[in-house]
Amino acid sequence: MAHPYLTIDLDKIEHNSRALVDLCQQQGIEVVGVTKCVCGHPEVAKAMLRGGVSAIADSRLENIYRLRGGGVESSYMLLRLPPLSGVDEVVETVAVSLNSELSVLEALSAAAIRRDLRHDVVLMVDLGDLREGIWPDELVPFAREAVKMPGIRIVGLGTNLGCFGGVVPSEANMTRLVHLAAEVERTCEIKLARISGVNSSGLNLIASGRMPTRVNQARLGEAILLGRETVHRTPWPATFQDAFLLHAEVLELKTKPSVPIGERSEDAFGKRPVFEERGERLRALLNLGREDVDEDGIKAVDPGVTILGASSGYLVVDVTETARNIRVGDQLTFSPNYSALLAAMTSEYVKTRTLRGGKPIRRETQLGCSADSKLMRANHGPI
Ligand SMILES: *Cc1c(COP(=O)(O)O)cnc(C)c1O
């Protein structure tokens, strides 16, 4: 194979989903599976659904078109705030979206009415992480305006922590969310069915049994895909961390000095790299570069392989310590973190191979998902 490729083990994703769904169910929490990191890969979503997630959420409509086009039967939630310029597509495509702007809600309401629909919305509250959300003081007046809009229905309250500001979900901030929900219910005379409290950074709180009982939804991406909670990034018990593996081919294999020779200036990316004198080392150049992956976010599965750096098209690794007898043309395997997985899934140059029962389920010929979802969009449009 001339391209680097990602293997996606669907059984492991299904297993991880089931393990987390079981944990959350014990606390009365439903799990929505988040597919944005895999660009809405349909087989990944199907594995999540087999594992028991109640719905699929993604941040991009293109990904949701891809999921639909790939035959994923589920209800969908749009995770990223809808754009004012795209409300028609939003109400046509997803059952529920997360929101924080009145002008957008007005437009969603009007778009829904034009289609004789009602669009469900979860109001996002910013509890300190400083990404999306209505500031708590402004929530009640906001909700009072929003309930008047005939085309939308406020079905829940949500918050997103551990993303921009790295704020840890706690009993205190989740209790605050529940209190805010009660206040909205009282002042607006509505019932909020969903309190969507956490993403993968909330697993420890859920497992501790201290999550307030009204919080009944978790939106999980990384925990399912990579088997980690995201506060300390510790592997979650009884889940797999290696559902995704990245494979790249050795293009050059040579023994070279460990420090460059000659007057030194900036590298290709404007940095001044530092080298340690380690004598002559056996180095391999692989067909994987910054255009495909975040090299700081991958780790060789073989402990004898160390990443030295990357340019746009090459990954440079030191293979001196490996027990394997590596040759040109061999594949080396890497384990991606979330950011590396996102980059690899988005790269047009990285192929994916989905495995079920250890075997490829079909040969995927499409390159990258960005091209693929554009295609889906062109072929299917909003459904
Ligand atoms: C990405 C995202 C999630 C999922 O986050 P993970 O850390 O991958 O579990 C949940 N909610 C929102 C709003 C998101 O944008």
Side-chain angles (χ1 to χ4, degrees):
M1 169 146 354
H3 291 87
Y5 64 95
L6 261 174
T7 44
I8 306 177
D9 189 323
L10 298 173
D11 297 330
K12 289 182 177 172
I13 293 165
E14 180 180 336
H15 171 96
N16 287 1
S17 305
R18 190 166 293 119
L20 296 167
V21 165
D22 287 349
L23 167 78
C24 291
Q25 234 162 28
Q26 286 163 24
Q27 309 291 329
I29 297 170
E30 63 162 4
V31 175
V32 175
V34 175
T35 51
K36 69 184 178 208
C37 186
V38 292
C39 307
H41 193 293
E43 297 306 327
V44 171
K46 287 179 197 169
M48 287 178 170
L49 289 162
R50 287 196 295 274
V53 305
S54 59
I56 296 293
D58 204 290
S59 54
R60 291 172 197 259
L61 288 179
E62 288 91 333
N63 293 347
I64 291 170
Y65 300 142
R66 186 181 187 209
L67 290 159
R68 280 255 166 84
V72 178
E73 285 176 28
S74 166
S75 82
Y76 294 103
M77 174 192 261
L78 183 64
L79 281 180
R80 189 166 66 173
L81 304 173
L84 193 52
S85 58
V87 289
D88 292 283
E89 284 152 295
V90 171
V91 299
E92 280 177 5
T93 310
V94 295
V96 52
S97 61
L98 309 184
N99 284 274
S100 66
E101 288 290 352
L102 280 174
S103 55
V104 176
L105 288 180
E106 258 160 30
L108 284 169
S109 172
I113 286 173
R114 282 197 291 278
R115 284 166 184 75
D116 228 1
L117 292 171
R118 278 247 252 159
H119 182 69
D120 287 350
V121 304
V122 169
L123 300 184
M124 291 301 275
V125 189
D126 189 339
L127 292 178
D129 203 57
L130 305 185
R131 205 180 72 175
E132 76 273 45
I134 304 153
W135 206 246
D137 298 354
E138 290 159 15
L139 178 66
V140 168
F142 185 107
R144 277 177 182 272
E145 287 306 309
V147 283
K148 294 180 198 153
M149 300 175 190
I152 60 167
R153 186 165 51 190
I154 305 173
V155 295
L157 214 56
T159 194
N160 195 52
L161 298 172
C163 255
F164 187 73
V167 174
V168 179
S170 64
E171 199 176 351
N173 52 38
M174 288 297 117
T175 301
R176 182 134 192 246
L177 185 65
V178 168
H179 287 162
L180 288 166
E183 213 178 316
V184 168
E185 286 178 325
R186 190 166 44 77
T187 51
C188 300
E189 296 178 350
I190 54 172
K191 180 92 190 94
L192 298 172
R194 289 207 192 88
I195 308 298
S196 190
V198 291
N199 53 33
S200 298
S201 64
L203 286 190
N204 284 317
L205 181 62
I206 294 171
S208 74
R210 301 229 304 276
M211 180 68 95
T213 45
R214 266 211 79 180
V215 174
N216 59 6
Q217 187 181 75
R219 309 171 307 269
L220 302 182
E222 182 164 350
I224 293 176
L225 301 171
L226 298 176
R228 293 178 188 280
E229 57 80 38
T230 57
V231 172
H232 307 290
R233 293 235 145 55
T234 35
W236 195 254
T239 62
F240 293 102
Q241 284 72 53
D242 60 351
F244 296 85
L245 290 172
L246 186 57
H247 308 266
E249 184 174 332
V250 177
L251 305 175
E252 180 188 292
L253 182 71
K254 295 195 188 299
T255 301
K256 295 187 184 180
S258 39
V259 177
I261 295 160
E263 188 193 343
R264 293 211 337 252
S265 168
E266 293 180 346
D267 68 10
F269 292 90
K271 300 247 170 66
R272 285 179 183 267
V274 182
F275 296 88
E276 189 192 335
E277 179 55 77
R278 303 184 68 195
E280 301 238 304
R281 308 287 294 177
L282 184 61
R283 300 149 64 95
L285 259 59
L286 310 180
N287 64 340
L288 187 71
R290 290 199 189 186
E291 208 168 347
D292 312 303
V293 80
D294 165 12
E295 84 267 21
D296 295 327
I298 56 174
K299 223 179 126 198
V301 169
D302 181 338
V305 174
T306 317
I307 296 168
L308 297 174
S311 61
S312 56
Y314 290 123
L315 188 73
V316 184
V317 298
D318 184 325
V319 295
T320 315
E321 318 280 340
T322 178
R324 241 174 97 184
N325 180 21
I326 293 176
R327 289 180 308 189
V328 170
D330 284 355
Q331 302 280 341
L332 296 185
T333 303
F334 299 86
S335 174
N337 71 6
Y338 191 81
S339 104
L341 178 61
L342 178 66
M345 287 298 303
T346 309
S347 170
E348 303 236 349
Y349 307 101
V350 179
K351 285 191 181 187
T352 54
R353 265 195 206 173
T354 36
L355 308 173
R356 207 172 162 189
K359 297 199 184 76
I361 57 164
R362 68 189 158 102
R363 208 173 150 75
E364 282 168 278
T365 48
Q366 83 270 15
L367 288 173
C369 60
S370 49
D372 184 54
S373 52
K374 273 182 219 130
L375 203 73
M376 280 299 174
R377 177 78 206 285
N379 289 346
H380 298 270
I383 300 167

